[in-house]
Structures are given as C-alpha cells and as structure tokens.
Amino acid sequence: MKDPTEQARDLPLDSHLHTDLSPDSDVPIDAHAAQAAERGIAEIAITDHVDFEPGAPAFAFTTFEDRERIVRGAAERWGPQGVQIRFGVELTYDRSWEADIREHLARHAYDFTIGSVHDRIDSPYSPGRVAGWVEAKPLAEIVALSFDEVVAAARSGLFDAIGHIDGVKRYVFPYITPADFEAAPELYEPILHALIESGTALEVNTSGLRYPIQRSFPHPAIVTRFHELGGRAVTVGSDAHRLDQLSWGLADGYAIAANAGFRELTFRRGPGAERVAVPFPAVNDHE
C-alpha cells in the first residue's frame, strides 16, 4: 500500500468526520468544508459523537438541536460552493444502552448513522488496564468483549453503517499486533455475517493508517471476505478529528474497497431516504 500521508483529492465522499461538536475534536465545521472544497471532496458527512453511558465524553456534550442547526446551516452555505454536507452521527453502541439508542433515533432524524463500539468507562482496554487484560489470554478471549458488541450493533438494525469494526486492535497494540489479527480471520466471521444479514454497511475506516498500527479498520483481507460472503454495502471514511485529517488515507480506503470487488459506496442522504449508490472513480491498485 502506498504512503497515505497526503490527504486524498477528487473523491466523491468522506463519510466520517468530526467537528468541535465532538469532545475530541477542535475543528469548526466551516474549516472542514473549506478543506473539502480545496481538495475536491464533493460530499462529506458530519458524524459527531453521541454517547449514552453517563460520564462518557460525548454524553450530553451538546444538544441534537444545536448539532442539526449548525450542520444544516453549513450545508446551505457550502452547497453552492460544490460541497454537499450531510447531517450524520456516530453513536457509541453498547447493549446496555440499546434501548436509549433506539429511543434517540426514534425521536431524532439524521441523514446517515454510524454505530461504533468504543471504550466503556470501566473498559479493560483502557491504557491502565490493557496490559493485564491481554496477559496469558488467547486472542479470541481478548477481543470478545469488543467483537461481541460489534455483532450486536450490526444485528440491531439501528445503523446505516458500523464504524471501525476492529477498532479494538488500536487499544491492544503493541501487546497484540495487527499481524495477530490478520492471522485469525475466523474471528471476524460473525461480524461479517451479522452485517450481511441485517443489510448494514461495513465501514472501511482509514484512521488506523495514521496510528502506530498502520492498518485500516478492518484490514483489506476482511473487506475482501465480506464481499466474498455476499456483502454489498460499504462506506469509506477518514474519521477525521483534526483539520489535516480530512480525506487522510481516503484514496487507500477506496482502493481497499475496489480491490475487494466493490465499485460503489452505499450512503443515505436524508432522514428516512432510500440508500443510494455512490460510484467511485477508478483507483490504482495500492496493494
């Protein structure tokens, strides 16, 4: 794979972006939009975090009304300048809070929804606990807490896409390496089947390419396996939290999807709207 340090240009969609409406981002929405215009990214989804565990960073960080007002306002400003902005969300999924998530989505309408598994407050994957958690355990046991939640998120049917399905590999590094995950593709099978059976899209998340693990979430072989099993819905997002991260590694993400057999992204552009295909341009084989 080529060096992805340069932000991609001239691609139709970056479906995973955070602004200063997320507690872990400092980017005003207009800065992202200006960057997208400059780089030729035709469409962006603003997917700021919403948490449901009391005390979690994005629990009641801001209101739905403020987020919608700010994103819709930016969409009006930037549409005439060639950047389509969609009002999305990244909802932290945990079975403990599924009823709250379901109720939230019943009351609040988004253009596009990502469900993602993140650390809980008492997570064994937290920096102070992870070394003890992984010690003397097989990989299947180490990742089960995360992977089981990802399966449940997919089966819930609540989301358009599931984000960074193996994001746990960032938390357990360097004790467990990306090569360890790549040597155990069978661990991903329940996730892939859950995505396919629920019709939920698999996200190719390129943020891992800028972390020490130097791998996308998930790695390319898993995207290929998803397609082989019959998966037909895929999204690609940079998961940018800083201005210089918009579209970062995005061309690599498109290439991973293309090399797996996909020729289009699956996206939703409005509350209750039908999902649409977003064809992507030919990309060089980066593998």
Side-chain angles (χ1 to χ4, degrees):
M1 184 175 290
K2 76 176 184 65
D3 180 358
T5 54
E6 183 177 351
Q7 291 167 280
R9 289 183 175 273
D10 302 320
L11 289 171
L13 174 66
D14 188 338
S15 64
H16 192 154
L17 297 173
H18 295 275
T19 74
D20 54 10
L21 296 171
S22 289
D24 55 355
S25 177
D26 61 358
V27 185
I29 191 170
D30 287 285
H32 267 329
Q35 182 89 160
E38 191 277 327
R39 304 206 66 79
I41 307 301
E43 187 171 15
I44 59 176
I46 303 302
T47 53
D48 284 305
H49 290 291
V50 173
D51 290 340
F52 295 87
E53 181 180 13
F59 181 81
F61 180 74
T62 186
T63 66
F64 172 86
E65 290 75 19
D66 282 345
R67 287 185 292 115
E68 183 176 38
R69 172 180 54 79
I70 290 168
V71 176
R72 299 290 187 204
E76 291 182 6
R77 291 192 298 276
W78 286 95
Q81 301 182 60
V83 178
Q84 301 303 311
I85 300 177
R86 308 301 175 186
F87 177 44
V89 65
E90 182 180 18
L91 302 132
T92 295
Y93 180 85
D94 187 293
R95 279 171 289 187
S96 300
W97 317 111
E98 182 173 316
D100 300 276
I101 299 168
R102 194 173 295 277
E103 192 270 339
H104 177 89
L105 291 174
R107 288 191 297 113
H108 300 309
Y110 295 94
D111 296 342
F112 177 70
T113 58
I114 300 172
S116 296
V117 174
H118 297 113
D119 266 356
R120 290 189 62 147
I121 292 173
D122 59 353
S123 171
Y125 304 121
S126 63
R129 299 181 179 183
V130 65
W133 172 251
V134 305
E135 187 175 3
K137 290 186 177 71
L139 181 59
E141 184 178 349
I142 290 168
V143 304
L145 286 178
S146 179
F147 276 25
D148 288 352
E149 291 296 335
V150 175
V151 169
R155 293 203 179 281
S156 74
L158 290 169
F159 311 109
D160 293 311
I162 302 300
H164 46 68
I165 64 170
D166 56 351
V168 67
K169 70 188 178 191
R170 175 188 170 198
Y171 301 143
V172 299
F173 183 82
Y175 309 102
I176 307 297
T177 69
D180 295 321
F181 282 84
E182 290 160 23
E186 69 280 0
L187 297 180
Y188 289 81
E189 293 280 310
I191 296 173
L192 302 183
H193 285 288
L195 290 168
I196 292 164
E197 290 164 13
S198 64
T200 308
L202 169 70
E203 180 190 70
V204 180
N205 183 303
T206 64
S207 67
L209 297 172
R210 61 180 184 261
Y211 293 130
I213 60 169
Q214 292 289 289
R215 296 291 196 283
S216 60
F217 301 118
H219 53 276
I222 298 302
V223 184
T224 297
R225 179 60 175 159
F226 178 62
H227 190 270
E228 290 172 349
L229 289 170
R232 293 297 178 263
V234 67
T235 67
V236 178
S238 66
D239 199 356
H241 287 70
R242 302 289 178 264
L243 185 57
D244 61 356
Q245 295 173 354
L246 182 142
S247 79
W248 203 97
L250 205 64
D252 298 84
Y254 275 72
I256 289 168
N259 293 339
F262 292 95
R263 295 295 176 264
E264 61 193 25
L265 306 179
T266 298
F267 191 56
R268 191 159 58 87
R269 290 177 168 145
E274 292 296 319
R275 298 196 302 183
V276 299
V278 180
F280 48 82
V283 287
N284 294 329
D285 189 315
H286 290 181
E287 296 299 301

